[in-house]
Amino acid sequence: MTPWRPAPGTPYHRMARTDAHRWWLPPAATAAVAAGTAAAVGVLLSVRSLVGLLTGRSSGPADEPDFGPIGETALLLLVVAAALPVVLVVARSWQQRPAGTLTSVEGRVRWRWLTACLLIAVPAVWFMLAGFSQLLDLTGEPTAAPAAWVGWPKFAASLSMLLLLVPLQTAAEEYVFRGWLLQAVGAFVHRPWLAIGPQAVLFATAHGWGTPWGFLDLLTMGLVCGWLTVRTGGLEAAVALHLVNNLIAYGGVAALGLLGSAGTAADAPWQLCAVSVLALAGYALAVRWQADRRGIAARTRPAGSKPAGSQPAGSQPAPRSRPAGWRGAEEAGAAG
């Protein structure tokens, strides 16, 4: 069956509003995503129990095996990553649209744009971590006792696992929150912020409750990543920031032998939240500037048109595509 495609000029948050759209389809498909993810997680946990029995790490179904910090962290990342293929399959099978419509308005990963966003994310995350450390010192907050360097063999093993699985984990979170949920709400609303807000709240809630500052930090990240997704017409900017942040965070705890520790982003103190808001704002401004400079498409293009950056030398660049919807969103979504 030929998939239904969004009409030309459709902004990212309206990509699920094809001619196949029915009012009941987004909530029903969202339930299918939840059920499919739960089933995939169940399979992973069953495999874990079976491997535990075969390797002598557990003696029965009620005796949960322990594969150590690296193994248990790998399992946690895989549990989150299990949602990634599910949302792609449900978009194609239930909503009868190309799975790539979850990725960007171009229907694919824009690799050069993703690379550019990664290069912007590195200094942003470095500023956040360095600023957090400095602010802790300035406020005289006690820090945890220094942990010992774990050694190259264990760190190399941990880093290999993280480089393999963290990209899948962060991509899954972005495809679920900034992709699926943003578009599920966007199928009913024209104004982007009405679609951006709910997924940001759910993103913060999904990380659990630690401190009010941790919740605010996660909420801000969800709002910024949601805005960048609509503003740049795809998930690349959000994935880049999330990937760099998680790789550095996991890499740091791996270097100190603290993989599997109970702390999460939801437990952030006010010092981290304060610096993180500044880093997120700087990242958003830099990405927006680069998107305008590169002419990154924020809406679907007519069939046969060339993507940004594909014009022959000496020709005039295509007009930059801006996400209609920040003003007069009704016109932008009319094609949907």
Side-chain angles (χ1 to χ4, degrees):
M1 180 183 295
T2 302
W4 295 91
R5 299 181 181 275
T10 302
Y12 179 87
H13 68 292
R14 299 280 288 173
M15 293 283 279
R17 185 89 179 193
T18 67
D19 288 342
H21 171 75
R22 300 294 182 269
W23 69 266
W24 51 267
L25 195 51
T30 300
V33 168
T37 302
V41 171
V43 170
L44 283 172
L45 296 179
S46 297
V47 170
R48 177 201 187 197
S49 297
L50 178 60
V51 172
L53 285 172
L54 294 176
T55 59
R57 293 178 180 267
S58 63
S59 57
D63 183 13
E64 292 296 329
D66 184 356
F67 293 98
I70 296 178
E72 293 302 307
T73 300
L75 177 65
L76 175 62
L77 296 174
L78 284 171
V79 164
V80 177
L84 181 56
V86 175
V87 294
L88 297 175
V89 169
V90 172
R92 183 64 179 82
S93 59
W94 281 64
Q95 295 183 321
Q96 301 175 40
R97 59 179 172 126
T101 55
L102 281 166
T103 302
S104 75
V105 294
E106 301 283 357
R108 59 182 176 82
V109 178
R110 298 168 292 186
W111 291 104
R112 290 185 179 180
W113 176 232
L114 176 61
T115 301
C117 292
L118 286 169
L119 294 176
I120 300 172
V122 170
V125 174
W126 177 87
F127 169 83
M128 179 183 66
L129 296 177
F132 172 51
S133 177
Q134 291 296 319
L135 191 55
L136 280 178
D137 290 340
L138 289 174
T139 56
E141 291 289 334
T143 56
W149 161 245
V150 73
W152 281 111
K154 289 186 178 180
F155 179 66
S158 299
L159 188 61
S160 298
M161 179 273 294
L162 295 173
L163 289 173
L164 177 65
L165 298 183
V166 168
L168 298 177
Q169 173 253 328
T170 52
E173 288 194 35
E174 294 305 322
Y175 271 83
V176 169
F177 292 100
R178 260 64 71 181
W180 182 269
L181 291 176
L182 192 151
Q183 290 183 352
V185 177
F188 298 99
V189 300
H190 292 292
R191 296 188 180 278
W193 283 111
L194 295 179
I196 292 170
Q199 61 80 28
V201 174
L202 291 173
F203 174 71
T205 303
H207 285 77
W209 182 261
T211 66
W213 299 108
F215 185 87
L216 179 60
D217 185 25
L218 289 163
L219 178 65
T220 303
M221 182 175 180
L223 291 172
V224 169
C225 286
W227 178 78
L228 285 174
T229 297
V230 177
R231 181 63 180 77
T232 63
L235 294 174
E236 294 92 348
V239 168
L241 178 64
H242 205 156
L243 175 58
V244 171
N245 180 80
N246 283 21
L247 273 178
I248 292 178
Y250 274 114
V253 297
L256 300 176
L258 298 176
L259 275 181
S261 59
T264 68
D267 301 315
W270 73 265
Q271 292 91 342
L272 179 59
C273 181
V275 178
S276 178
V277 168
L278 294 177
L280 288 170
Y283 178 76
L285 291 175
V287 167
R288 176 179 176 176
W289 176 71
Q290 279 293 317
D292 287 343
R293 180 174 174 269
R294 294 167 178 261
I296 299 299
R299 291 178 289 175
T300 54
R301 302 174 184 272
S305 64
K306 294 182 179 181
S310 62
Q311 294 82 8
S315 65
Q316 293 295 321
R320 292 172 180 170
S321 177
R322 296 177 62 87
W326 309 106
R327 291 184 180 179
E330 290 79 3
E331 292 82 353

